[in-house]
Amino acid sequence: MPIIEVRDVNFKYEDTTEYVIEHLNLEIEQGSFVCILGHNGSGKSTLAKLLNVLYTPTSGNIVICGKNVLNEENWKIRKHAGMVFQNPDNQLIATMVREDVAFGLENIGTPHDEMESIIDSSLVNVGMLEFGDRAPHLLSGGQKQRVAIAGILAMLPEVIIFDESTSMLDPQGRKEILNVVKRINKEKNITIIWITHFMEEAVEADRVVVFQHGKVAMDGKPLEVFSNEEEVKSLGLDIPPMIALTNALNKEGISISTQILTVDDMVKEITNKYANNHK
């Protein structure tokens, strides 16, 4: 069974007639890393809020971890599907990092004698244990986002939804957060829904889903989606940098593998070609 099932969902905001999400059907498998892409207004952030039960469907239904969003109390689903927002300052409320990580545990009734080890483990997982006694407002943007992730991890969710959680960070900060997320996805089998507008992040996912006008326009593995360059561009998106570079090199007669997604892939390809050409 999929861990998330979106069944013929429609959603519109109050006092509007236009649907932001329209007849959406989507299934997400447990343990997968799914990237959601789309231009501004495509409905991707609205989907995130629907999955975290900040909104409920106008019609249709969503089942998360076996729980129906129309039948369950919101907090019960959020225990299973946590969310990391775009701005960590909107998610951090305590005066000390450890207290902030404890906040979610307190809300779900975790016994106090169990909290300390859970908090330590969560901070270790995001590389922030040594900052446990710091004030969150004194941390960098990337560090704050790590604390926000630790707070969600502490509740042992089966799904974590990231709604453009790296958009306010510099390139190094984005890379650090993405590496943390990839690790917890693999090591803890936590399902990741990663909403972004950075194409270089999208190639790190197992699956890419492209939204347009509240519907799925493209869906597949990164190479399958981004190999359709014209279609991707017609949806208002760019091609990931290394795929664009590969296409440009091949057009200039420099034969490069079309399986390249990342900078590391490109370095290996160029290194191998250089070595082979100089044997």
Side-chain angles (χ1 to χ4, degrees), residues 117-134:
S117 62
I118 295 173
I119 292 168
D120 284 347
S121 176
S122 299
L123 289 172
V124 166
N125 277 313
V126 298
M128 289 294 290
L129 182 62
E130 64 184 284
F131 296 90
D133 296 327
R134 299 277 186 91

Side-chain angles (χ1 to χ4, degrees), residues 3 8 17 19 26 40 65-66 77 80 88 97 144 166-167 179 184 194 196 198 271:
I3 197 165
D8 196 28
T17 58
Y19 282 96
L26 184 66
N40 290 339
C65 303
I77 291 181
H80 296 274
V97 165
K144 288 179 182 179
T166 61
S167 64
N179 286 339
I184 61 178
W194 185 266
T196 186
F198 292 112
T271 300

Side-chain angles (χ1 to χ4, degrees), residues 16-250:
T16 63
T17 58
E18 186 176 345
Y19 282 96
V20 181
I21 300 290
E22 191 171 5
H23 297 298
L24 178 63
N25 289 282
L26 184 66
E27 293 187 350
I28 294 176
E29 298 300 320
Q30 182 175 0
S32 60
F33 187 151
V34 180
C35 180
I36 309 289
L37 298 174
H39 59 75
N40 290 339
S42 63
K44 58 187 188 298
S45 288
T46 301
L47 173 65
K49 294 177 175 65
L50 285 165
L51 296 180
N52 195 236
V53 207
L54 292 172
Y55 303 147
T56 53
T58 304
S59 63
N61 201 5
I62 300 174
V63 177
I64 301 173
C65 303
K67 298 185 180 298
N68 188 314
V69 301
L70 300 181
N71 298 337
E72 295 284 347
E73 295 177 77
N74 291 354
W75 70 267
K76 291 183 179 179
I77 291 181
R78 290 179 191 143
K79 181 179 178 180
H80 296 274
M83 185 163 167
V84 179
F85 294 90
Q86 182 179 47
N87 186 349
D89 288 326
N90 294 338
Q91 203 159 353
L92 304 179
I93 60 169
T95 57
M96 187 185 299
V97 165
R98 295 182 66 85
E99 292 173 353
D100 216 291
V101 177
F103 180 76
L105 296 174
E106 292 169 344
N107 276 274
I108 62 175
T110 304
H112 278 272
D113 59 353
E114 297 178 13
M115 283 190 186
E116 187 171 348
S117 62
I118 295 173
I119 292 168
D120 284 347
S121 176
S122 299
L123 289 172
V124 166
N125 277 313
V126 298
M128 289 294 290
L129 182 62
E130 64 184 284
F131 296 90
D133 296 327
R134 299 277 186 91
H137 72 275
L138 297 177
L139 301 176
S140 70
Q143 289 170 333
K144 288 179 182 179
Q145 203 61 288
R146 289 188 186 206
V147 174
I149 296 171
I152 298 299
L153 277 178
M155 294 187 288
L156 299 176
E158 295 162 75
V159 179
I160 303 180
I161 304 151
F162 293 84
D163 187 12
E164 302 204 38
S165 304
T166 61
S167 64
M168 299 181 67
L169 305 180
D170 60 28
Q172 184 58 36
R174 295 202 304 269
K175 183 177 180 180
E176 289 173 0
I177 293 300
L178 186 57
N179 286 339
V180 169
V181 172
K182 287 167 60 180
R183 180 167 52 78
I184 61 178
N185 168 244
K186 299 303 180 186
E187 293 180 0
K188 299 186 176 297
N189 200 38
I190 293 175
T191 304
I192 302 296
I193 300 174
W194 185 266
I195 298 172
T196 186
H197 60 268
F198 292 112
M199 297 301 108
E200 63 269 28
E201 294 178 354
V203 299
E204 303 282 357
D206 303 324
R207 175 184 172 194
V208 172
V209 180
V210 182
F211 269 52
Q212 185 183 42
H213 304 311
K215 298 178 180 179
V216 175
M218 301 181 77
D219 186 353
K221 293 182 179 180
L223 271 174
E224 294 171 348
V225 169
F226 293 121
S227 63
N228 297 305
E229 183 172 353
E230 295 306 315
E231 184 176 359
V232 171
K233 289 183 175 179
S234 74
L235 296 171
L237 301 176
D238 293 325
I239 296 296
M242 290 303 102
I243 294 180
L245 178 57
T246 296
N247 293 344
L249 289 171
N250 280 312

